[in-house]
Amino acid sequence: MIKDKRITLPIAEIIEETAEVRTFKFDAGIEASPGQFIMLTDFNGGEKPFSISDTDGKSLSVTIKRVGQFTARLFEKRIGDIVSIRGAYGSSFFIPGKNSGPNIDAANFRPALCGGGFGLPPLYLLAKKLLKAGVPAGNIKVISAGRTENDLLFEKQFGGLGVDYTGAAESVALMSPGRFKGTAAGAFAEIAKGVTGLCNFVYASGPDLMMKSLMPHFSEELEYQFLFERYMKCAIGICGSCVVDPSGIRICKEGPALWKAQVEQLKDFGVYRRKASGSIDYFTDRMAVKAEGAGE
Amino acid sequence: MIKDKRITLPIAEIIEETAEVRTFKFDAGIEASPGQFIMLTDFNGGEKPFSISDTDGKSLSVTIKRVGQFTARLFEKRIGDIVSIRGAYGSSFFIPGKNSGPNIDAANFRPALCGGGFGLPPLYLLAKKLLKAGVPAGNIKVISAGRTENDLLFEKQFGGLGVDYTGAAESVALMSPGRFKGTAAGAFAEIAKGVTGLCNFVYASGPDLMMKSLMPHFSEELEYQFLFERYMKCAIGICGSCVVDPSGIRICKEGPALWKAQVEQLKDFGVYRRKASGSIDYFTDRMAVKAEGAGE
Amino acid sequence: MKELRTDFLGVKLSSPLVLPAGVLDISFSSYKLVSGYGAGLITTKSLTKEARKGHEGPVVTEVEGGMLNCMGLCNPGIFEGLEEIKRFREISNVPVNLSIFATDAEGFTELAKEANSSKADFLELNLSCPNVSDEFGVPLAASEKTVAEIISSVKSVCRLPVIAKLSPNVTSFTRVALAAADAGADALCMINTLGPGIDIDIEAGRPVLFNVSGGLSGPCIKPIALRLVYESRKAGITIPIIGMGGITSGEDAVQMLMAGADLVGVGTAVYYRGPEVFEKINDEILSFLERKDYHFISDIKRII
Amino acid sequence: MKELRTDFLGVKLSSPLVLPAGVLDISFSSYKLVSGYGAGLITTKSLTKEARKGHEGPVVTEVEGGMLNCMGLCNPGIFEGLEEIKRFREISNVPVNLSIFATDAEGFTELAKEANSSKADFLELNLSCPNVSDEFGVPLAASEKTVAEIISSVKSVCRLPVIAKLSPNVTSFTRVALAAADAGADALCMINTLGPGIDIDIEAGRPVLFNVSGGLSGPCIKPIALRLVYESRKAGITIPIIGMGGITSGEDAVQMLMAGADLVGVGTAVYYRGPEVFEKINDEILSFLERKDYHFISDIKRII
Ligand SMILES: Cc1cc2nc3c(=O)[nH]c(=O)nc-3n(C[C@H](O)[C@H](O)[C@H](O)COP(=O)(O)OP(=O)(O)OC[C@H]3O[C@@H](n4cnc5c(N)ncnc54)[C@H](O)[C@@H]3O)c2cc1C
Ligand SMILES: Cc1cc2nc3c(=O)[nH]c(=O)nc-3n(C[C@H](O)[C@H](O)[C@H](O)COP(=O)(O)OP(=O)(O)OC[C@H]3O[C@@H](n4cnc5c(N)ncnc54)[C@H](O)[C@@H]3O)c2cc1C
Ligand SMILES: Cc1cc2nc3c(=O)[nH]c(=O)nc-3n(C[C@H](O)[C@H](O)[C@H](O)COP(=O)(O)O)c2cc1C
Ligand SMILES: Cc1cc2nc3c(=O)[nH]c(=O)nc-3n(C[C@H](O)[C@H](O)[C@H](O)COP(=O)(O)O)c2cc1C
Ligand code: FES
Ligand code: FES
């Protein structure tokens, strides 16, 4: 019996989110929770991890940014083209009353959802599930970070949640003219200021440096979960490619969603990542600036 | 996942039934129905089929006659010696209300159980299960065939069923001085005479020629099941060693308990058996005489 | 209309599914059973000159993903074996592949001569029995030279198309495959059982099989079978290939065809899905053709 | 008192369980994770002179009874690799087996020299990578001569005990094992992955692995691993053997010891039972010793 069945199927729908970001939808009935990811390949070289940005049990979406060779090839695909996915993999985000975490009930749960670049889409699925679990829409603060206004993702979708579920989640767009100008961290501080006492949990998802830049604004007792990206090859916990230092946490298994207590142990967080070979790749100042400044 | 797990364990008990027949009991919780068999080995050469003569779900017994090298070696074993069994295998006997067969309810079920030699013990388990299914003890006629009185098996056990379950099954011993003298078939005819109209099903278990010799005494509409012995190697339906002609029935899978309709198709029944090599071995007159005369 | 019928060395088969040597094929009744369920070609148990009763039991043991067997080439011998084919011919037209086994070219050739007068359609040379090997565990026919010798010799006397059944347990499989084709084999059959392997009963502290080791078959050897078929094609083998090793479902059979096989053997799967497995796999292949809008088996052959 | 402690080439190990090359062993954190769960010896990913990013994905695919992988020897290169061992040494005393890979004796020898200055306890030569082979799919080190050459050359420069890791994909395994022992290997490690094998996606009509084929590991290769260990002993190998291939449970580990191994590798089982598998198997071995009233691992070694 094969535990990990791959599903090969045509692309059902392609949605252009921005010039560089598209959502690919598949008629695949995969059980998945927010924060989890799939591995996707077209059998032409490369199999890459993508967070699940939406699922209703019958269909599943991933939202992909064109960054290199593999994603560029995906952007040439049309509806009906065949790709192959496996998963869902990894740990998922806390949902009050659904899985284990702090003892807060849905009504009193006031989370901030901070996403940078393609870190935002998994927070969309999270927001949907939070609403479904009974968290009042008005309790949910979404902070989206993008380089320019054009990079801001899922503004409409988050707005739509307001329509679908009473009391829309607040979508705060940052770092674009006419809105908040600054970093994700700055926006979080701003939000936190505005809603003091109202935010008792943070979900963050994006580049290390963006997530790390949020932390100085956290009160000591604030509980959080960060969604990590590390180089993934097997995604089933055996190759060691995605392991973080020094705890040996496998981002593909115990992650990608890590708890505060796990994050606090990390010594590579925001400092370095491992490349495909396993060699250490230190974040450069340029990257730091890029990440801090662009939230991506 | 392994479907067919072998159980290796010490012999829990050895009961001397006759000089040449012993019952070996194991503390093995194997699901088994009457008629089914196990494969038994001591890892010293040979793995052989033996019918289950008793089981209560927690322990299991087989009753073995010393006939050749393998069984002789078994007779040297002591309690605590380790052997290995796998199974239970094959089809099982009809039990009214429990599995499919003729539409007779337990109360009106009046079976004759005809066993020759080591064919008798599986009928003991059958009798227990019939009683448990609600067949009145008085309805069950047991015909045991043996060479001499000393070869008659399980007389006490069948008697014991009378003690355990009200209305004992009748144990008719044959071909021994002071009892019925003649063949199993003769005994069956006698019984049938004595209980005309009372017997509406026959179970037979023993050498081909003994079972075949019963048939002339059957009325045309009489339904029956015979328990077959053929050379067995794999016992899981792939090696082809136990297949009977011309239907391709595998005695280890579709058998060993065959229905009338299956028996009627056989052309090897009572004519030949296949040897370990697969070559055909015709029953000789001597064997026929032995089988007819001695029920073994 | 989707179509399972296929042509193999000039003989029409109703299905590409083959009953391989050694599984439910001791007697004509077994052939009948299996062909009745839709196998397109029946291979006999490998026959030797004399009857062999095979190894003492246990002769099979289930392991993760498959099965070990050390039947030990039990068979009734060539003469009784040919009788079984004759009996089958009286009741069925399904083609028969006569498998033979010997330990040298002379022995194979002698048996091949007997095959000339048989009712079989093809002659398969079992060059790969893992139970007959030298002290270092090398199968008799691991060498290109021996394989070529046996095939040429058999071809020189045999009127039937000759199929060489190869062993996966060699360092350089494709070299042997090429040697077999060059020597005149009309088709190749791959793979025989892998290994062999050992199962150990830890309670008894003994090997489970009395012969200690046995050939590995079943689902877990499929990846290796697929590779050897694929690599044989890549190495330039153009004669037909009967691919086998772990084929249990229509998906498996389609994979085998895609890897480059012309026919597909289904052996150990009988354990998992019964002799009905042939009917089931035929149906599953048809559904696949239907769903993907292919028409013939040939449409999917060698497409990877 | 039952005892898992064991001695291996003069080094004390807390358990006979070994993390084999290639599984959760890119970085010191992984070594820590796995040794924390009770592995007695940690093998590094096979290191090459330069960093290698490995093959494009998909690089793994689950198959019946196991897994195919074609990681492609991704590793950070010998220098960064030795740094990982150094980092591990700062936090743990669990012995480390440094695995290296090169394509010829010269390359192995160059790497072995680096090993002299490392914190590793043993040097393992990966002579058996299925991903580096000639056009006929023959692993570089299938020949007795090449194996002997590499080992002698490495032995002449290396201060660490040398373990030769052998490939099961050769016609005559025990001959290669004997050659390795004769050439001075201090221990043997067997087996590397089997095959390789191919998995095919029938919907796409494509091989699943981008490298087409990958080495087979996991439960289904255990029978073959057990046989090769057993046959090595029978052929007269007396140096220690690290046995691996599909070991997933205490029962499996006991089988491997009974077949003749001194230590037991546990790789792919991490997929089925998590990194906790080492703790679980240790416990399962202890229960077995308890139940059968054995005292030491050595009591069950080679008893079949
Ligand atoms: C848990 C997780 C979730 C992700 N979710 C999303 C998502 O929802 N949307 C999205 O657009 N991207 C997501 N990514 C990133 C995505 O995998 C990479 O953008 C993609 O692999 C880039 O491939 P490329 O060939 O186009 O670019 P490349 O030029 O190969 O690489 C560009 C960047 O992607 C990273 N990358 C490349 N291959 C991998 C790999 N196998 N594993 C991890 N990172 C890799 C590189 O480190 C590099 O920083 C996620 C990554 C992880 C680990
Ligand atoms: C379904 C079935 C149920 C059986 N139940 C019992 C039982 O409850 N009690 C009992 O004493 N015996 C039973 N037998 C018969 C038992 O298997 C043989 O007596 C035993 O195998 C003899 O082995 P041996 O080496 O002692 O004798 P051998 O000298 O080897 O043979 C003596 C006889 O046993 C038969 N035999 C040997 N090996 C096998 C085999 N592998 N499969 C079938 N027959 C074989 C031979 O054909 C021969 O007629 C049963 C057989 C079958 C097929
Ligand atoms: C019980 C058994 C007996 C076999 N006997 C033979 C044989 O006599 N001759 C032969 O060439 N192959 C024999 N084989 C090998 C099969 O023909 C086939 O090559 C192998 O089992 C792989 O296919 P499978 O996985 O579908 O069973 C035997 C296999 C099994 C399981
Ligand atoms: C993902 C993966 C990577 C591997 N990488 C290596 C390697 O770099 N060097 C090596 O000698 N063996 C490597 N192997 C082989 C293992 O060390 C081991 O020999 C084999 O997997 C059999 O053991 P198992 O079934 O317990 O995994 C690798 C195996 C796997 C599954
Ligand atoms: S990607 Fe292989 S262990 Fe996580
Ligand atoms: S004993 Fe093998 S098929 Fe019945």
Side-chain angles (χ1 to χ4, degrees), chain D residues 16-300:
Chain D
L17 299 188
V18 178
L19 178 74
V23 174
L24 281 186
D25 55 4
I26 296 276
S27 61
F28 76 99
S29 308
S30 300
Y31 309 167
K32 194 185 104 181
L33 180 80
V34 172
S35 57
Y37 279 120
L41 174 64
I42 298 294
T43 311
T44 69
K45 176 75 191 170
S46 294
L47 301 174
T48 49
K49 196 174 164 202
E50 310 293 344
R52 288 171 58 100
K53 68 188 186 66
H55 291 306
E56 286 293 333
V59 288
V60 293
T61 180
E62 191 182 344
V63 292
E64 286 294 337
M67 184 172 292
L68 299 177
N69 91 78
C70 58
M71 301 305 300
L73 282 174
C74 46
N75 78 92
I78 185 84
F79 295 105
E80 289 199 47
L82 294 183
E83 283 302 305
E84 300 293 338
I85 299 178
K86 209 182 284 170
R87 289 187 194 111
F88 181 60
R89 268 290 151 271
E90 285 163 18
I91 52 174
S92 170
N93 289 318
V94 172
V96 172
N97 180 19
L98 165 59
S99 172
I100 58 173
F101 177 81
T103 55
D104 54 22
E106 204 183 324
F108 272 108
T109 310
E110 198 181 334
L111 294 170
K113 283 183 196 153
E114 301 298 335
N116 281 336
S117 62
S118 81
K119 303 273 184 198
D121 298 274
F122 309 103
L123 181 69
E124 182 171 290
L125 312 178
N126 176 358
L127 303 171
S128 44
C129 184
N131 294 314
V132 183
S133 54
D134 74 12
E135 58 172 322
F136 287 101
V138 177
L140 182 78
S143 100
E144 295 145 66
K145 193 163 147 282
T146 315
V147 163
E149 228 169 74
I150 294 172
I151 293 169
S152 318
S153 175
V154 165
K155 279 298 288 181
S156 71
V157 304
C158 184
R159 66 165 182 86
L160 299 176
V162 170
I163 303 168
K165 181 154 182 191
L166 303 179
S167 167
N169 309 313
V170 298
T171 309
S172 182
F173 181 85
T174 46
R175 280 194 191 132
V176 179
L178 287 168
D182 287 348
D186 298 287
L188 301 178
C189 175
M190 57 189 74
I191 56 175
N192 211 314
T193 54
L194 199 74
I198 289 182
D199 189 11
I200 294 172
D201 189 296
I202 63 167
E203 296 304 321
R206 297 292 297 275
V208 171
L209 300 179
F210 187 61
N211 185 50
V212 183
S213 69
L216 182 60
S217 64
C220 68
I221 73 169
K222 187 186 67 176
I224 289 169
L226 291 175
R227 177 183 60 105
L228 294 176
V229 170
Y230 174 82
E231 283 188 355
S232 297
R233 289 296 179 214
K234 247 187 36 185
I237 298 286
T238 52
I239 56 176
I241 292 177
I242 309 180
M244 58 182 63
I247 305 304
T248 308
S249 67
E251 177 172 350
D252 296 338
V254 168
Q255 288 178 324
M256 190 48 100
L257 294 163
M258 286 181 167
D262 297 275
L263 302 182
V264 177
V266 177
T268 305
V270 166
Y271 168 60
Y272 300 98
R273 305 180 78 193
E276 312 87 288
V277 68
F278 292 91
E279 191 166 53
K280 290 177 180 166
I281 295 183
N282 277 337
D283 287 350
E284 289 157 3
I285 298 175
L286 282 174
S287 310
F288 176 80
L289 296 179
E290 189 69 50
R291 183 159 50 78
K292 301 288 280 192
D293 206 24
Y294 291 114
H295 292 274
F296 306 101
I297 287 301
S298 54
D299 293 346
I300 56 176

Side-chain angles (χ1 to χ4, degrees), chain A residues 205-226:
Chain A
S205 167
D208 274 31
L209 293 169
M210 176 229 122
M211 297 193 294
K212 200 159 192 177
S213 69
L214 299 175
M215 294 171 72
H217 304 281
F218 293 173
S219 65
E220 206 161 312
E221 58 284 353
L222 185 71
E223 185 58 271
Y224 57 84
Q225 272 184 313
F226 287 178

Side-chain angles (χ1 to χ4, degrees), chain B residues 234 238-239, chain C residues 19-25 43-47 59-60 67-71 73-74 99-101 124-130 165-166 189-194 215-219 221-222 244-248 265-269:
Chain B
C234 74
I238 62 162
C239 76
Chain C
L19 178 74
V23 174
L24 280 188
D25 54 5
T43 310
T44 68
K45 176 75 191 171
S46 295
L47 301 175
V59 288
V60 295
M67 184 172 293
L68 299 177
N69 92 77
C70 59
M71 302 305 300
L73 283 174
C74 46
S99 172
I100 58 172
F101 177 81
E124 182 170 290
L125 311 179
N126 176 359
L127 303 171
S128 44
C129 185
K165 181 153 181 192
L166 303 179
C189 176
M190 56 188 74
I191 57 178
N192 211 315
T193 54
L194 199 75
L216 182 60
S217 64
I221 72 168
K222 187 187 66 176
M244 60 182 61
I247 306 304
T248 309
V266 177
T268 306

